[in-house]
Coordinates of all heavy atoms in Angstrom, one line a residue:
M1 N 0.8 -1.2 0.0 CA -0.1 0.0 0.0 C 0.9 1.2 0.0 O 0.6 2.2 -0.8 CB -0.9 0.0 1.3 CG -2.1 1.1 1.2 SD -3.0 1.0 -0.3 CE -4.0 2.4 0.0
E2 N 2.0 1.1 0.9 CA 2.8 2.4 0.9 C 3.4 2.6 -0.4 O 3.6 3.8 -0.9 CB 3.8 2.2 2.0 CG 4.7 3.3 2.2 CD 5.9 3.0 3.2 OE1 6.6 2.0 3.0 OE2 6.0 3.7 4.3
R3 N 4.0 1.6 -1.1 CA 4.6 1.7 -2.4 C 3.6 2.2 -3.4 O 3.9 2.9 -4.3 CB 5.2 0.4 -2.8 CG 6.3 -0.1 -2.1 CD 6.7 -1.5 -2.6 NE 7.5 -1.4 -3.8 CZ 8.8 -1.2 -4.0 NH1 9.6 -1.0 -2.8 NH2 9.4 -1.2 -5.1
F4 N 2.4 1.8 -3.3 CA 1.3 2.3 -4.3 C 1.0 3.8 -4.0 O 1.1 4.5 -5.1 CB 0.0 1.5 -4.0 CG -1.1 1.9 -5.0 CD1 -1.0 1.7 -6.2 CD2 -2.1 2.7 -4.6 CE1 -2.0 2.1 -7.2 CE2 -3.1 3.1 -5.4 CZ -3.0 2.8 -6.7
I5 N 1.0 4.3 -2.8 CA 0.8 5.7 -2.6 C 2.0 6.4 -3.1 O 1.9 7.6 -3.7 CB 0.6 6.0 -1.0 CG1 -0.8 5.3 -0.6 CG2 0.6 7.4 -0.7 CD1 -1.0 5.2 0.8
V6 N 3.3 6.0 -2.8 CA 4.4 6.6 -3.2 C 4.5 6.7 -4.9 O 4.7 7.6 -5.4 CB 5.7 6.0 -2.7 CG1 6.9 6.5 -3.5 CG2 5.7 6.1 -1.3
F7 N 4.0 5.5 -5.4 CA 4.0 5.4 -6.9 C 3.1 6.4 -7.5 O 3.3 7.3 -8.3 CB 3.6 4.0 -7.4 CG 3.5 3.9 -8.9 CD1 4.5 3.8 -9.7 CD2 2.2 3.9 -9.4 CE1 4.4 3.8 -11.1 CE2 1.9 3.8 -10.8 CZ 3.1 3.8 -11.7
I8 N 1.8 6.5 -6.9 CA 0.8 7.5 -7.4 C 1.3 8.9 -7.2 O 1.2 9.7 -8.1 CB -0.6 7.3 -6.6 CG1 -1.2 6.0 -7.0 CG2 -1.6 8.4 -6.9 CD1 -1.6 5.7 -8.5
S9 N 1.9 9.1 -6.1 CA 2.5 10.5 -5.8 C 3.6 10.8 -6.7 O 3.7 12.0 -7.3 CB 3.1 10.6 -4.4 OG 1.9 10.3 -3.4
L10 N 4.4 9.9 -7.0 CA 5.5 10.1 -8.1 C 5.0 10.5 -9.4 O 5.5 11.3 -10.1 CB 6.6 9.0 -8.0 CG 7.5 9.0 -6.9 CD1 8.3 7.6 -6.9 CD2 8.4 10.2 -6.9
V11 N 4.1 9.6 -9.8 CA 3.4 9.8 -11.2 C 2.8 11.2 -11.2 O 3.0 12.0 -12.2 CB 2.3 8.9 -11.4 CG1 1.5 9.2 -12.7 CG2 2.9 7.5 -11.6
A12 N 2.1 11.6 -10.2 CA 1.6 13.1 -10.1 C 2.7 14.1 -10.2 O 2.6 15.1 -10.8 CB 0.7 13.2 -8.9
L13 N 3.7 13.8 -9.4 CA 4.9 14.7 -9.2 C 5.5 14.9 -10.6 O 5.8 16.1 -11.1 CB 5.9 14.1 -8.3 CG 7.3 14.7 -8.3 CD1 7.3 16.1 -7.8 CD2 8.1 13.8 -7.4
I14 N 5.8 13.8 -11.4 CA 6.4 13.9 -12.6 C 5.5 14.7 -13.6 O 5.9 15.5 -14.4 CB 6.7 12.5 -13.2 CG1 7.8 11.8 -12.3 CG2 7.1 12.5 -14.6 CD1 8.0 10.4 -12.5
G15 N 4.2 14.4 -13.5 CA 3.3 15.2 -14.4 C 3.3 16.6 -14.0 O 3.3 17.5 -15.0
W16 N 3.4 17.0 -12.8 CA 3.4 18.5 -12.3 C 4.7 19.0 -12.8 O 4.6 20.2 -13.5 CB 3.3 18.5 -10.9 CG 3.4 19.9 -10.4 CD1 2.5 21.0 -10.6 CD2 4.5 20.4 -9.5 NE1 3.0 22.1 -10.0 CE2 4.1 21.8 -9.3 CE3 5.6 19.8 -8.8 CZ2 5.0 22.7 -8.4 CZ3 6.3 20.7 -8.0 CH2 6.1 22.0 -7.9
I17 N 5.7 18.4 -12.7 CA 7.1 19.0 -13.0 C 7.2 19.1 -14.7 O 7.5 20.2 -15.2 CB 8.2 18.2 -12.7 CG1 8.4 18.2 -11.1 CG2 9.5 18.6 -13.4 CD1 9.4 17.4 -10.4
S18 N 6.7 18.1 -15.3 CA 6.7 18.1 -16.8 C 5.6 19.2 -17.3 O 6.0 19.9 -18.4 CB 6.3 16.8 -17.4 OG 7.0 15.8 -16.8
L19 N 4.5 19.2 -16.9 CA 3.5 20.0 -17.4 C 3.5 21.5 -17.0 O 3.0 22.4 -17.6 CB 2.1 19.5 -17.2 CG 1.9 18.1 -17.9 CD1 0.6 17.6 -17.4 CD2 2.0 18.1 -19.4
G20 N 4.1 21.7 -15.7 CA 4.2 23.0 -15.3 C 3.0 23.5 -14.5 O 3.0 23.8 -13.3
Q21 N 1.9 23.6 -15.1 CA 0.6 24.2 -14.7 C -0.3 23.1 -14.1 O -0.4 22.0 -14.5 CB -0.2 24.9 -15.8 CG 0.6 26.0 -16.4 CD 0.7 27.1 -15.4 OE1 -0.2 27.4 -14.7 NE2 1.8 27.8 -15.5
A22 N -0.8 23.4 -12.9 CA -1.8 22.6 -12.2 C -3.1 22.7 -12.6 O -3.9 21.9 -12.1 CB -1.5 22.8 -10.7
Q23 N -3.4 23.6 -13.4 CA -4.9 23.8 -13.7 C -5.6 22.7 -14.3 O -5.1 22.0 -15.3 CB -4.9 25.0 -14.8 CG -6.0 26.1 -14.5 CD -5.8 27.3 -15.4 OE1 -5.0 27.4 -16.3 NE2 -6.6 28.3 -15.2
G24 N -6.8 22.3 -13.9 CA -7.5 21.3 -14.4 C -7.1 19.9 -14.0 O -7.5 19.0 -14.6
A25 N -6.1 19.9 -13.1 CA -5.5 18.6 -12.9 C -6.4 17.8 -11.9 O -7.2 18.4 -11.2 CB -4.1 18.8 -12.1
D26 N -6.3 16.5 -11.9 CA -7.2 15.7 -11.0 C -6.6 15.6 -9.7 O -5.7 16.2 -9.2 CB -7.3 14.2 -11.6 CG -5.9 13.6 -11.7 OD1 -5.0 14.0 -11.2 OD2 -5.9 12.5 -12.4
K27 N -7.4 14.7 -8.9 CA -7.0 14.8 -7.3 C -5.7 14.1 -7.0 O -4.8 14.7 -6.2 CB -8.1 13.8 -6.7 CG -8.2 13.9 -5.1 CD -9.6 13.4 -4.6 CE -9.5 13.3 -3.2 NZ -9.1 12.0 -2.6
A28 N -5.2 13.1 -7.8 CA -3.9 12.6 -7.5 C -2.8 13.5 -7.9 O -1.8 13.6 -7.2 CB -3.8 11.2 -8.3
F29 N -3.1 14.3 -9.0 CA -2.1 15.3 -9.3 C -1.9 16.4 -8.3 O -0.9 16.7 -7.8 CB -2.6 15.9 -10.6 CG -1.8 17.0 -11.1 CD1 -0.8 16.7 -12.1 CD2 -1.9 18.4 -10.7 CE1 -0.1 17.7 -12.7 CE2 -1.2 19.3 -11.1 CZ -0.1 19.1 -12.1
Q30 N -3.1 16.9 -7.7 CA -3.1 17.8 -6.6 C -2.4 17.3 -5.3 O -1.7 18.0 -4.7 CB -4.5 18.2 -6.2 CG -5.2 19.1 -7.5 CD -4.4 20.4 -7.7 OE1 -3.6 20.9 -6.9 NE2 -4.6 20.7 -9.0
E31 N -2.6 16.0 -5.0 CA -2.2 15.5 -3.8 C -0.5 15.3 -4.0 O 0.2 15.5 -3.1 CB -2.6 14.0 -3.6 CG -4.1 14.1 -3.0 CD -4.7 12.9 -2.9 OE1 -4.1 11.8 -3.1 OE2 -6.0 12.8 -2.5
G32 N -0.1 14.9 -5.2 CA 1.3 14.7 -5.4 C 2.1 16.0 -5.4 O 3.2 16.2 -4.9
K33 N 1.4 17.1 -6.0 CA 1.9 18.4 -6.0 C 2.0 18.9 -4.4 O 3.2 19.4 -4.2 CB 1.0 19.4 -6.7 CG 1.5 20.8 -6.8 CD 0.5 21.7 -7.7 CE 0.9 23.0 -7.9 NZ 0.7 23.9 -6.8
K34 N 1.1 18.7 -3.7 CA 1.1 19.2 -2.3 C 2.3 18.4 -1.5 O 3.1 18.8 -0.7 CB -0.2 18.8 -1.6 CG -0.4 19.5 -0.2 CD -1.7 19.4 0.4 CE -2.8 19.9 -0.3 NZ -4.1 19.7 0.4
L35 N 2.3 17.0 -1.9 CA 3.3 16.1 -1.2 C 4.8 16.6 -1.7 O 5.7 16.8 -0.8 CB 3.1 14.7 -1.6 CG 4.1 13.7 -1.1 CD1 3.8 13.4 0.4 CD2 4.1 12.3 -1.8
F36 N 5.0 16.9 -2.9 CA 6.2 17.4 -3.3 C 6.6 18.7 -2.6 O 7.7 19.0 -2.2 CB 6.2 17.6 -4.9 CG 7.5 18.1 -5.4 CD1 8.6 17.2 -5.5 CD2 7.7 19.4 -5.6 CE1 9.7 17.7 -6.1 CE2 9.0 19.9 -6.1 CZ 9.9 19.0 -6.4
E37 N 5.6 19.6 -2.7 CA 5.8 21.0 -2.0 C 6.3 20.8 -0.6 O 7.1 21.5 -0.1 CB 4.6 21.9 -2.1 CG 4.3 22.4 -3.6 CD 3.1 22.9 -3.8 OE1 2.2 23.0 -2.9 OE2 2.8 23.5 -4.8
N38 N 5.5 19.9 0.2 CA 5.8 19.8 1.7 C 7.0 19.0 2.0 O 7.5 19.2 3.1 CB 4.5 19.2 2.3 CG 3.3 20.1 2.3 OD1 3.4 21.3 2.1 ND2 2.1 19.6 2.4
T39 N 7.4 18.0 1.1 CA 8.3 17.1 1.5 C 9.6 17.1 0.6 O 10.6 16.8 1.1 CB 7.8 15.6 1.3 OG1 6.4 15.6 1.9 CG2 8.6 14.6 2.0
C40 N 9.6 17.6 -0.5 CA 10.7 17.4 -1.4 C 11.3 18.8 -1.8 O 12.5 19.0 -2.2 CB 10.4 16.6 -2.7 SG 9.3 15.3 -2.4
A41 N 10.4 19.9 -1.9 CA 10.8 21.1 -2.6 C 11.8 21.9 -1.9 O 12.5 22.7 -2.4 CB 9.6 22.0 -2.8
D42 N 12.0 21.6 -0.5 CA 13.1 22.3 0.4 C 14.4 22.1 -0.5 O 15.2 23.1 -0.5 CB 13.1 21.9 1.6 CG 12.0 22.6 2.6 OD1 11.3 23.4 2.1 OD2 11.9 22.1 3.7
C43 N 14.6 20.8 -0.8 CA 15.9 20.5 -1.5 C 15.8 20.6 -3.0 O 16.7 21.3 -3.7 CB 16.3 19.1 -1.2 SG 16.7 19.0 0.7
H44 N 14.8 20.0 -3.6 CA 14.7 19.8 -5.1 C 14.0 21.1 -5.7 O 14.0 21.2 -7.0 CB 14.1 18.6 -5.5 CG 14.7 17.4 -5.0 ND1 16.0 17.0 -5.7 CD2 14.6 16.5 -4.1 CE1 16.4 15.8 -5.1 NE2 15.6 15.5 -4.2
R45 N 13.6 22.1 -4.9 CA 13.0 23.3 -5.3 C 11.6 23.1 -6.0 O 11.3 22.1 -6.5 CB 13.9 24.1 -6.3 CG 15.4 24.2 -5.8 CD 15.6 24.5 -4.4 NE 15.3 25.8 -4.1 CZ 15.1 26.4 -2.9 NH1 15.3 25.6 -1.9 NH2 14.7 27.6 -2.7
L46 N 10.8 24.2 -5.8 CA 9.4 24.1 -6.3 C 9.4 23.8 -7.9 O 8.4 23.1 -8.3 CB 8.7 25.4 -6.0 CG 8.1 25.5 -4.6 CD1 7.5 27.0 -4.4 CD2 7.1 24.5 -4.3
N47 N 10.4 24.3 -8.6 CA 10.4 24.0 -10.1 C 11.0 22.7 -10.4 O 11.2 22.4 -11.7 CB 11.0 25.3 -10.7 CG 12.4 25.5 -10.3 OD1 13.0 24.7 -9.7 ND2 12.9 26.6 -10.7
G48 N 11.5 22.0 -9.4 CA 12.1 20.8 -9.8 C 13.7 20.8 -10.3 O 14.3 19.9 -10.7
Q49 N 14.1 22.1 -10.1 CA 15.5 22.2 -10.7 C 16.6 22.0 -9.8 O 17.8 21.9 -10.0 CB 15.7 23.8 -11.2 CG 14.8 24.0 -12.4 CD 15.1 23.2 -13.6 OE1 16.3 22.9 -13.9 NE2 14.1 22.8 -14.3
G50 N 16.3 21.7 -8.5 CA 17.3 21.5 -7.4 C 18.3 22.7 -7.3 O 17.9 23.7 -7.7
L51 N 19.4 22.3 -6.7 CA 20.5 23.3 -6.6 C 21.7 22.8 -6.9 O 22.2 21.6 -6.5 CB 20.6 23.7 -5.0 CG 19.6 24.7 -4.4 CD1 20.0 25.0 -3.0 CD2 19.6 26.0 -5.2
P52 N 22.4 23.5 -8.1 CA 23.5 22.8 -8.6 C 24.7 22.2 -7.6 O 24.9 23.1 -6.5 CB 24.1 23.9 -9.5 CG 23.0 24.7 -9.8 CD 22.1 24.7 -8.5
A53 N 25.2 21.1 -7.7 CA 26.2 20.6 -6.9 C 25.6 20.3 -5.5 O 26.4 19.7 -4.7 CB 27.4 21.5 -6.8
K54 N 24.4 20.5 -5.2 CA 23.8 20.1 -3.8 C 22.7 19.0 -4.0 O 22.8 17.9 -3.5 CB 23.4 21.3 -3.1 CG 24.5 22.2 -2.4 CD 24.0 23.1 -1.5 CE 25.1 23.7 -0.7 NZ 24.6 24.6 0.3
F55 N 21.6 19.5 -4.7 CA 20.6 18.7 -4.9 C 20.2 18.5 -6.3 O 20.1 19.5 -7.0 CB 19.3 19.3 -4.1 CG 19.6 19.7 -2.7 CD1 19.5 21.1 -2.3 CD2 20.0 18.7 -1.8 CE1 19.7 21.3 -0.9 CE2 20.2 19.1 -0.5 CZ 20.1 20.4 0.0
P56 N 20.2 17.3 -6.8 CA 20.0 17.1 -8.3 C 18.7 17.6 -8.8 O 17.6 17.4 -8.0 CB 20.1 15.5 -8.4 CG 19.7 15.0 -7.1 CD 20.2 16.0 -6.0
A57 N 18.6 18.1 -9.9 CA 17.3 18.6 -10.6 C 16.5 17.2 -10.9 O 17.1 16.2 -11.2 CB 17.6 19.1 -12.0
L58 N 15.3 17.3 -10.6 CA 14.2 16.2 -10.9 C 13.5 16.5 -12.2 O 13.3 15.5 -13.0 CB 13.3 15.9 -9.7 CG 13.9 15.7 -8.3 CD1 12.8 15.5 -7.4 CD2 14.8 14.4 -8.3
D59 N 13.5 17.7 -12.6 CA 12.8 18.0 -13.9 C 13.8 17.5 -15.0 O 14.9 17.8 -15.1 CB 12.7 19.5 -13.9 CG 12.1 20.0 -15.2 OD1 11.2 19.3 -15.6 OD2 12.3 21.1 -15.5
K60 N 13.2 16.7 -16.0 CA 13.7 16.2 -17.1 C 15.0 15.2 -16.8 O 15.8 15.0 -17.6 CB 14.2 17.3 -18.1 CG 13.0 18.1 -18.6 CD 13.6 19.2 -19.6 CE 12.4 20.0 -20.1 NZ 11.8 21.0 -19.1
N61 N 15.0 14.9 -15.5 CA 16.0 13.9 -15.1 C 15.8 12.5 -15.7 O 14.6 11.9 -15.5 CB 16.1 13.9 -13.5 CG 17.0 12.9 -13.0 OD1 17.4 11.9 -13.5 ND2 17.6 13.3 -11.7
P62 N 16.7 12.0 -16.5 CA 16.5 10.6 -17.1 C 16.2 9.5 -16.1 O 15.4 8.7 -16.5 CB 17.9 10.3 -17.9 CG 18.6 11.6 -17.8 CD 17.9 12.5 -16.8
F63 N 16.8 9.6 -15.0 CA 16.5 8.5 -14.0 C 15.0 8.7 -13.4 O 14.4 7.6 -13.3 CB 17.4 8.7 -12.7 CG 17.1 7.7 -11.6 CD1 17.4 6.4 -11.6 CD2 16.4 8.1 -10.5 CE1 17.1 5.6 -10.6 CE2 16.0 7.3 -9.4 CZ 16.5 6.0 -9.6
V64 N 14.5 9.9 -13.3 CA 13.2 10.1 -12.7 C 12.1 9.8 -13.8 O 11.1 9.2 -13.3 CB 13.0 11.5 -12.2 CG1 11.5 11.9 -11.8 CG2 14.0 11.9 -11.1
I65 N 12.4 9.9 -15.0 CA 11.4 9.6 -16.0 C 11.6 8.1 -16.7 O 10.9 7.8 -17.6 CB 11.3 10.6 -17.2 CG1 12.7 10.9 -17.9 CG2 10.9 12.0 -16.7 CD1 12.7 11.9 -18.9
G66 N 12.6 7.4 -15.9 CA 12.8 6.1 -16.4 C 12.0 5.0 -15.6 O 10.8 5.4 -15.4
D67 N 12.6 4.0 -15.3 CA 11.6 3.0 -14.6 C 11.2 3.4 -13.3 O 12.1 3.7 -12.4 CB 12.8 1.7 -14.4 CG 12.2 0.5 -13.7 OD1 10.9 0.6 -13.4 OD2 12.8 -0.4 -13.5
P68 N 9.8 3.4 -13.1 CA 9.2 4.0 -11.8 C 9.7 3.1 -10.6 O 9.8 3.7 -9.5 CB 7.8 3.9 -12.2 CG 7.7 3.1 -13.3 CD 9.0 3.1 -14.1
N69 N 9.9 1.8 -10.9 CA 10.2 1.0 -9.6 C 11.6 1.4 -9.1 O 11.7 1.4 -7.9 CB 10.4 -0.5 -10.1 CG 9.0 -1.1 -10.4 OD1 8.0 -0.9 -9.6 ND2 8.8 -1.9 -11.5
Q70 N 12.6 1.8 -9.9 CA 13.8 2.3 -9.4 C 13.6 3.5 -8.5 O 14.3 3.8 -7.6 CB 14.8 2.5 -10.5 CG 15.3 1.2 -11.0 CD 16.4 1.3 -12.1 OE1 16.6 2.4 -12.5 NE2 17.2 0.3 -12.3
V71 N 12.7 4.5 -9.1 CA 12.5 5.8 -8.5 C 11.9 5.6 -7.1 O 12.2 6.2 -6.1 CB 11.7 6.6 -9.3 CG1 11.5 8.0 -8.8 CG2 12.3 6.8 -10.7
I72 N 10.9 4.6 -7.1 CA 10.2 4.4 -5.9 C 11.2 3.8 -4.8 O 11.2 4.2 -3.7 CB 8.9 3.4 -6.1 CG1 7.9 4.0 -6.9 CG2 8.4 2.9 -4.8 CD1 6.9 3.2 -7.4
D73 N 12.0 2.8 -5.3 CA 12.9 2.2 -4.3 C 13.9 3.2 -3.8 O 14.2 3.2 -2.7 CB 13.7 1.0 -5.2 CG 14.5 0.0 -4.2 OD1 13.7 -0.4 -3.3 OD2 15.7 0.1 -4.4
T74 N 14.4 4.2 -4.6 CA 15.3 5.2 -4.2 C 14.7 6.1 -3.2 O 15.3 6.3 -2.1 CB 15.7 6.1 -5.4 OG1 16.5 5.3 -6.3 CG2 16.5 7.2 -4.9
V75 N 13.3 6.5 -3.4 CA 12.7 7.3 -2.4 C 12.5 6.6 -1.0 O 12.7 7.1 0.1 CB 11.4 7.9 -3.1 CG1 10.7 8.7 -1.9 CG2 11.8 8.8 -4.2
L76 N 12.1 5.3 -1.2 CA 11.8 4.6 0.0 C 13.0 4.1 0.7 O 13.1 4.2 2.0 CB 10.9 3.4 -0.4 CG 9.4 3.6 -0.8 CD1 8.8 2.3 -1.0 CD2 8.7 4.3 0.4
N77 N 14.0 3.7 0.0 CA 15.1 2.9 0.7 C 16.5 3.7 0.6 O 17.5 3.4 1.0 CB 15.2 1.5 0.1 CG 14.0 0.8 0.4 OD1 13.4 0.7 1.4 ND2 13.6 0.1 -0.7
G78 N 16.6 4.7 -0.3 CA 17.8 5.4 -0.6 C 18.7 4.4 -1.5 O 18.2 3.3 -2.0
R79 N 19.9 4.8 -1.8 CA 20.8 4.1 -2.6 C 22.2 4.2 -2.0 O 22.5 5.1 -1.3 CB 20.9 4.7 -4.0 CG 19.8 4.1 -4.9 CD 20.2 4.6 -6.3 NE 19.4 5.8 -6.6 CZ 19.8 6.6 -7.5 NH1 20.9 6.5 -8.1 NH2 19.1 7.7 -7.8
K80 N 23.1 3.1 -2.3 CA 24.4 3.2 -1.8 C 25.4 3.4 -2.9 O 25.0 3.0 -4.2 CB 24.7 1.8 -1.1 CG 24.1 1.8 0.3 CD 24.3 0.5 1.1 CE 23.7 0.6 2.3 NZ 23.8 -0.7 2.9
G81 N 26.6 3.7 -2.7 CA 27.6 3.9 -3.8 C 27.6 5.2 -4.3 O 26.9 6.2 -3.9
K82 N 28.3 5.3 -5.5 CA 28.3 6.6 -6.2 C 27.1 6.9 -7.0 O 26.8 6.2 -7.9 CB 29.6 6.6 -7.2 CG 30.0 7.9 -7.7 CD 31.2 8.0 -8.3 CE 31.5 9.2 -9.2 NZ 31.2 10.4 -8.7
L83 N 26.5 7.9 -6.7 CA 25.1 8.3 -7.3 C 25.3 9.3 -8.4 O 26.3 10.0 -8.5 CB 24.1 8.7 -6.3 CG 24.0 7.8 -5.1 CD1 22.9 8.3 -4.2 CD2 23.6 6.3 -5.6
G84 N 24.3 9.5 -9.1 CA 24.2 10.4 -10.3 C 24.2 11.9 -9.9 O 24.2 12.7 -10.7
Ligands
HEC1 C1 17.2 17.1 2.7 C2 17.2 17.3 1.2 C3 16.3 16.4 0.4 C4 14.9 16.3 0.4 C5 14.0 16.8 1.5 C6 14.7 15.4 -0.7 N1 15.9 15.0 -1.4 FE1 15.8 13.9 -3.0 N2 17.9 14.1 -3.1 C7 18.6 14.8 -2.2 C8 20.0 14.7 -2.6 C9 21.1 15.4 -2.0 C10 20.0 13.8 -3.6 C11 21.3 13.1 -4.3 C12 22.0 12.1 -3.5 C13 23.3 11.6 -4.3 O1 23.4 11.7 -5.5 O2 24.3 11.4 -3.6 C14 18.7 13.4 -3.9 C15 18.4 12.4 -4.9 C16 17.1 12.2 -5.3 C17 16.6 11.3 -6.4 C18 17.6 10.5 -7.3 C19 18.0 11.6 -8.4 C20 19.1 10.9 -9.4 O3 19.3 11.5 -10.4 O4 19.7 9.8 -9.1 C21 15.4 11.3 -6.5 C22 14.5 10.5 -7.4 C23 14.8 12.2 -5.4 N3 16.0 12.7 -4.7 C24 13.5 12.4 -5.0 C25 13.2 13.0 -3.9 C26 11.7 13.1 -3.6 C27 10.5 12.5 -4.4 C28 11.6 13.8 -2.4 C29 10.5 14.0 -1.5 C30 9.5 12.9 -1.2 C31 13.0 14.1 -2.0 N4 13.8 13.7 -3.0 C32 13.4 14.8 -0.9 C33 18.1 15.6 -1.2 C34 16.8 15.6 -0.8

């Protein structure tokens, strides 16, 4: 269940970052946007651009728009080793 909620939130988050505007968006989109603003934007910034050399941009990030299972696993469990 937790993975499903994270997955739905990430789908909404990616949609929000890609599309920019929240107008006319559905409930999951709004929930993902709120979750991102409250939980992620301090580091990755509201526009998803991050801060160079500190927090990676999520906007147009190939990892983020790639396999959703890897993204969910990273958010839930983190990663070890040299990261992108
Ligand atoms: C306290 C600051 C902070 C917060 C809050 C934060 N992150 Fe991150 N995030 C980072 C840093 C730093 C990295 C890069 C780690 C590295 O490469 O060593 C990262 C990496 C990532 C990556 C991997 C990017 C890549 O290219 O490998 C994803 C995806 C991600 N964050 C998503 C999120 C999401 C979604 C949230 C909110 C639920 C979030 N982060 C909240 C600091 C943060």
Side-chain angles (χ1 to χ4, degrees):
M1 187 63 184
E2 184 186 57
R3 286 177 79 85
F4 179 69
I5 292 169
V6 170
F7 175 74
I8 292 297
S9 300
L10 283 171
V11 168
L13 160 67
I14 291 164
W16 175 62
I17 289 173
S18 311
L19 299 174
Q21 295 294 323
Q23 223 169 8
D26 63 8
K27 195 163 172 261
F29 179 95
Q30 293 298 339
E31 286 175 5
K33 182 173 184 283
K34 194 182 289 180
L35 180 74
F36 181 80
E37 288 171 350
N38 292 338
T39 316
C40 320
D42 278 352
C43 297
H44 296 287
R45 315 313 293 165
L46 281 174
N47 61 8
Q49 294 300 319
L51 284 179
K54 284 195 168 180
F55 308 118
L58 302 181
D59 183 27
K60 300 183 181 69
N61 180 324
F63 176 77
V64 175
I65 57 181
D67 179 4
N69 288 318
Q70 288 187 343
V71 182
I72 291 167
D73 193 57
T74 294
V75 173
L76 288 179
N77 303 314
R79 275 190 264 152
K80 289 183 178 170
K82 187 165 167 45
L83 303 179

